[in-house]
Amino acid sequence: MRKLIFFLSFVIYFSSFTFAIAETKPVQFSLTPDVAVHDKDTYIRGLTLNIWGENPQSALALGLVNGSTGNSKGFSWSMFLNYAENYKGVQWAPVNYTKSDFVGWQSGILNYTKGSAKGLQSGFVNYAGSFTGLQLGFVNYAATMDKGVQIGFVNIIPENKWFTNLPNEFAKGMTIVNWRF
């Protein structure tokens, strides 16, 4: 009886494991999210080549528009736009947008993280709902900042007080440099 229970447990365990493997693919090619080799809900672990792609992924994503759903990670390089729900890694495109949280490096003309960003944002305009790290650009805005530095022409951290908490924070808005520690 114990052998039978062990055998059934073994079969159930490995059948669920192979089911999980079946939903992960190493490569994705897509014209649009709905016209692609794999469904847009398939997790890609490897490489995506896109005109416009949108998958949950842990991948190198190359394309015109790269979309990442769920908790994705990797390196996304796009000719126009990278967008994601949550992303860890590198996003390089003229426009990078993350709906929730981003950890890593965003580089482009516009880098926008609606939620929390940790790492480096380098571009013409950088925005983060909450930021930790370095913003390097012409205009830098962090609605709240845990610990970080902004270097650019316009640097805004609205929660800072004007010159009263030096050296921990500098000012609400400054040219050249602003910070909060």
Side-chain angles (χ1 to χ4, degrees), residues 57-148:
Q57 58 189 289
S58 175
L60 169 62
L62 304 172
L64 299 179
V65 175
N66 296 319
S68 302
T69 57
N71 293 320
S72 293
K73 59 186 173 182
F75 185 107
S76 289
W77 182 86
S78 172
M79 292 290 291
F80 299 110
L81 169 67
N82 287 317
Y83 65 92
E85 288 179 37
N86 292 299
Y87 200 83
K88 289 182 180 179
V90 176
Q91 288 183 326
W92 286 353
V95 177
N96 297 297
Y97 170 79
T98 304
K99 183 178 179 180
S100 292
D101 298 329
F102 180 83
V103 176
W105 179 18
Q106 286 181 319
S107 182
I109 297 169
L110 171 63
N111 300 304
Y112 186 98
T113 298
K114 189 173 181 179
S116 170
K118 293 181 182 178
L120 171 64
Q121 284 184 320
S122 60
F124 190 74
V125 175
N126 300 305
Y127 173 90
S130 174
F131 192 76
T132 302
L134 173 63
Q135 286 183 317
L136 184 61
F138 189 75
V139 175
N140 300 302
Y141 183 94
T144 64
M145 183 176 278
D146 296 326
K147 292 181 181 181

